Amino acid sequence: MSSIWCERAWLGPEGVADNILVETDDGGAITHVGTAPRPDPASGVLALDGVVFPAAANAHSHAFHRALRGRTHAGRGDFWTWREQMYRAAGALTPGKYERLATAVFAEMVTAGFSSVAEFHYVHHRPDGAAYGGGLGADGHGPDGAGIGLQGDGDDHDGEHAMELALCRAAAAAGIRLTLLDTCYLAGGIGKPLAPEQQRFGDGDVHAWLDRLDSLRKTVAARFDPARITVGAALHSVRGVPESALPVIADRLPPELPLHIHLSEQPAENEACLAEYGVTPAGLLARHGLLSPHLSAVHATHLTAEDVGLLGGAGATVVMCPTTEADLADGIGPARALADAGALIALGTDQHAVVDPWLEMRALEHGERLASGQRGRFTPDELLHAASAGAAAAMATPTAGIAVGMAADLAVVNPASMRTVGSDPGQLPLTATSADVTAVVVGGELLAVNGIHSRLGQPADLLAAALKEIA
């Protein structure tokens, strides 16, 4: 049991309150929330000065895309030209290189105020498509899942699930909660085989993917704390998964498992889907019974009114990634319409052009204002919900919140910085950035202070070393 005192804390609909004392059990779950005066420094109570919010949940991440930040802006182009650079980055990954890069990226997330991440993972195999396996066994490590850390090479640790377990070890090292979304990726486009640069993403057919997913779930459950690291599922897109696979997935995938999919990110995707199947991507999922509260549709940028109704009526989660959608010129999705229709809104950083939950919140609201000509499309409370508890259905890890039963995952914001001074505390989502995050707590453990990770040090140093390996 531990105690955390908050100078000020956002309590959801109750607003911001002073002198909040949070007590947790040994697993980092909150058992009591009350008020108390500032504790004596010798009491052992963790005192957090500033305004304390639930830590953010990153509901959509591709960790290796961090290698592209600041390197894709020469000349003109669009999503499809950017994608060619992304494939080159994917081709450079090995298990060891990916572990080191992902550790740095996850450390960056923690210091920015994230306590959990849904990693949409499809770099499964060797570049030629051959499976990892043999050699040192399941992951080349001991039964506790402990790895070689950041000092060794690790590229010879290429047993079964080598890439997936590299990501799990990275999350464990950074202390972030991970939902590893193992992704089905079978086609290079509707009616097209995988291209040479996509070979390492594929499993041959849907049955092979489902079998590998089942094996991965068992392996991860045996090696890692399920409150910290667990496995979900993803379909890359209707471009990457043929319709013939969808009924098999609907029949065999455990219904309680989080299922994510890139949906209607590009008009070209919708046009191809309509031409081949006679329906939109959302309509195709509905045709096969895959719309449910366990589904998370990522981006959902180019939807019809019928699509909005389908996703909202199913109670699906829609994961918006506003800074990525802006960076890639994807467009502005109908977030307000989706929320009004019954969909849950969550936020993700996707390709990590920015790793900052506060800027994602702001970009969500600003996109709505630009598209509608109206202000206040999402209240600050709604933005905070989207950044934290809104991702609950999208992820298989405990939800952050300052309430009994929630995870003691907290992010502290300085209300007196150049950016935030004078702000109403409840309106900090419209003024703060990750530079204003002074402390981050995950499961009751203080993991970051003023941008420095308590276990790993300066994330920029980790990133610099990891990026040199795949530049």
Side-chain angles (χ1 to χ4, degrees), residues 160-188:
E160 187 180 14
H161 309 307
M163 294 297 265
E164 291 73 27
L165 291 168
L167 287 167
C168 292
R169 292 191 298 274
I176 199 167
R177 301 183 194 272
L178 171 68
T179 300
L180 180 63
L181 299 167
D182 194 83
T183 301
C184 182
Y185 201 143
L186 303 175

Side-chain angles (χ1 to χ4, degrees), residues 235-463:
L235 314 180
H236 180 268
S237 59
V238 299
R239 293 181 285 111
V241 180
E243 183 180 19
S244 60
L246 298 182
V248 180
I249 292 166
D251 179 61
R252 285 191 53 189
L253 203 66
E256 73 281 2
L257 205 65
L259 177 65
H260 292 223
I261 184 171
H262 294 126
L263 189 85
S264 293
E265 183 177 5
Q266 292 290 320
E269 173 188 327
N270 291 350
E271 293 163 6
C273 189
L274 282 163
E276 183 71 16
Y277 304 128
V279 291
T280 63
L284 189 64
L285 297 182
R287 177 184 290 174
H288 295 286
L290 287 169
L291 292 184
S292 80
H294 295 288
L295 180 80
S296 293
V298 181
H299 301 304
T301 308
H302 302 281
L303 301 179
T304 66
E306 183 180 3
D307 294 337
V308 171
L310 286 171
L311 290 165
T317 298
V318 175
V319 183
M320 299 291 195
C321 305
T323 63
T324 284
E325 288 144 11
D327 183 79
L328 296 182
D330 285 347
I332 300 171
R336 184 71 262 170
L338 284 159
D340 291 344
L344 301 175
I345 304 299
L347 294 172
T349 63
D350 194 358
Q351 55 128 349
H352 315 309
V354 172
V355 173
D356 188 328
W358 313 94
L359 291 183
E360 297 296 344
M361 286 185 255
R362 193 131 72 249
L364 179 69
E365 170 62 13
H366 286 174
E368 278 287 320
R369 293 183 185 189
L370 289 168
S372 69
Q374 297 177 336
R375 302 178 80 243
R377 299 284 285 177
F378 287 91
T379 68
D381 282 2
E382 287 177 311
L383 295 174
L384 287 164
H385 186 272
S388 55
M395 301 166 77
T397 49
T399 304
I402 307 174
V404 172
M406 306 288 256
D409 295 1
L410 310 170
V412 188
V413 172
N414 175 9
S417 76
M418 292 187 300
R419 292 161 292 278
T420 62
V421 65
S423 298
D424 182 304
Q427 295 187 29
L428 284 168
L430 278 303
T431 60
T433 74
S434 62
D436 302 308
V437 174
T438 58
V440 180
V441 173
V442 181
E445 178 187 356
L446 183 63
L447 274 185
V449 176
N450 294 326
I452 304 299
H453 196 284
S454 62
R455 301 180 187 174
L456 300 172
Q458 173 57 258
D461 295 339
L462 302 177
L463 286 161

Side-chain angles (χ1 to χ4, degrees), residues 56-285:
N58 190 344
H60 188 67
S61 163
H62 301 288
F64 78 90
H65 287 192
R66 177 61 180 81
L68 301 176
R69 184 189 294 177
R71 299 185 180 193
T72 65
H73 303 290
R76 298 190 178 187
D78 56 15
F79 168 84
W80 305 102
T81 52
W82 169 88
R83 193 176 66 157
E84 298 307 313
Q85 294 171 283
M86 181 270 288
Y87 285 149
R88 288 196 290 273
L93 298 174
T94 65
K97 290 176 182 177
Y98 205 5
E99 181 174 347
R100 293 185 285 279
L101 176 60
T103 299
V105 173
F106 293 156
E108 181 182 10
M109 289 181 194
V110 169
T111 60
F114 289 105
S115 66
S116 60
V117 58
E119 181 65 26
F120 198 107
H121 169 66
Y122 49 80
V123 188
H124 302 303
H125 308 300
R126 301 179 192 276
D128 63 358
Y132 287 99
L136 296 172
D139 66 350
H141 294 75
D144 61 354
I148 55 167
L150 300 179
Q151 301 303 315
D153 179 4
D155 294 343
D156 57 343
H157 293 266
D158 63 351
E160 187 180 14
H161 309 307
M163 294 297 265
E164 291 73 27
L165 291 168
L167 287 167
C168 292
R169 292 191 298 274
I176 199 167
R177 301 183 194 272
L178 171 68
T179 300
L180 180 63
L181 299 167
D182 194 83
T183 301
C184 182
Y185 201 143
L186 303 175
I190 295 176
K192 299 178 181 178
L194 292 172
E197 63 270 20
Q198 298 170 318
Q199 291 301 312
R200 70 185 314 183
F201 308 158
D203 285 294
D205 61 39
V206 66
H207 298 284
W209 171 67
L210 286 162
D211 289 344
R212 189 177 55 75
L213 173 65
D214 181 63
S215 172
L216 175 63
R217 291 181 67 202
K218 292 174 181 175
T219 299
V220 170
R223 286 168 164 74
F224 297 94
D225 179 356
R228 294 292 183 134
I229 298 175
T230 191
V231 176
L235 314 180
H236 180 268
S237 59
V238 299
R239 293 181 285 111
V241 180
E243 183 180 19
S244 60
L246 298 182
V248 180
I249 292 166
D251 179 61
R252 285 191 53 189
L253 203 66
E256 73 281 2
L257 205 65
L259 177 65
H260 292 223
I261 184 171
H262 294 126
L263 189 85
S264 293
E265 183 177 5
Q266 292 290 320
E269 173 188 327
N270 291 350
E271 293 163 6
C273 189
L274 282 163
E276 183 71 16
Y277 304 128
V279 291
T280 63
L284 189 64
L285 297 182

